[in-house]
Amino acid sequence: MLRIRGQIGDWPVDLTVEMDAEDWDQLASRLSPEMLDKAPAAAKAPSAPRTDALWETAQQLLREAGQMEGPRLLAELEALTGGVATGKRLLVRLRHSEQVHVEVREDAPLYIWRG
């Protein structure tokens, strides 16, 4: 998460931007090595434990539900992560997990926990 505080003219600004590891990597790719060395520790990419915690929570969500249609599961994952991109990445990860069977249906895929 990145927090920006300050003022634009007379207007106070307090903005919080949520960024996942991919966003941080993309931002870092645009910086020179000298700029990266000078960056404060708080501005560096978040550590993997948050990602692992999200993955564990995504698995638990499907495990507890037993099965869930793709659009509903995606909506749940987006709400869980606070972002569309991260929710989609978790959905893809679930799709390829050995713990999950995806039944292709006419309307929407059905994700089934088979643990």
Side-chain angles (χ1 to χ4, degrees), residues 21-54:
E22 184 178 304
D23 296 326
W24 282 107
D25 290 342
Q26 185 177 5
L27 179 62
S29 72
R30 297 176 190 270
L31 299 175
S32 68
E34 297 81 29
M35 294 174 76
L36 286 173
D37 290 339
K38 294 178 185 177
K44 303 222 173 173
S47 60
R50 183 180 187 303
T51 304
D52 291 339
L54 287 174

Side-chain angles (χ1 to χ4, degrees), residues 45-65:
S47 60
R50 183 180 187 303
T51 304
D52 291 339
L54 287 174
W55 172 237
E56 293 299 323
T57 306
Q59 291 180 91
Q60 180 181 355
L61 175 72
L62 185 57
R63 182 173 43 246
E64 289 175 359

Side-chain angles (χ1 to χ4, degrees), residues 7-97:
Q7 286 196 276
I8 299 175
D10 293 333
W11 295 12
V13 174
D14 191 355
L15 176 67
T16 301
V17 179
E18 290 188 29
M19 297 174 63
D20 58 25
E22 184 178 304
D23 296 326
W24 282 107
D25 290 342
Q26 185 177 5
L27 179 62
S29 72
R30 297 176 190 270
L31 299 175
S32 68
E34 297 81 29
M35 294 174 76
L36 286 173
D37 290 339
K38 294 178 185 177
K44 303 222 173 173
S47 60
R50 183 180 187 303
T51 304
D52 291 339
L54 287 174
W55 172 237
E56 293 299 323
T57 306
Q59 291 180 91
Q60 180 181 355
L61 175 72
L62 185 57
R63 182 173 43 246
E64 289 175 359
Q67 63 183 26
M68 199 178 295
E69 287 190 346
R72 180 170 169 235
L73 180 56
L74 178 57
E76 295 277 341
L77 294 172
E78 288 175 2
L80 171 73
T81 63
V84 175
T86 307
K88 285 182 180 179
R89 277 193 291 280
L90 285 173
L91 187 67
V92 169
R93 198 168 171 187
L94 283 170
R95 175 179 285 277
H96 296 286
S97 171

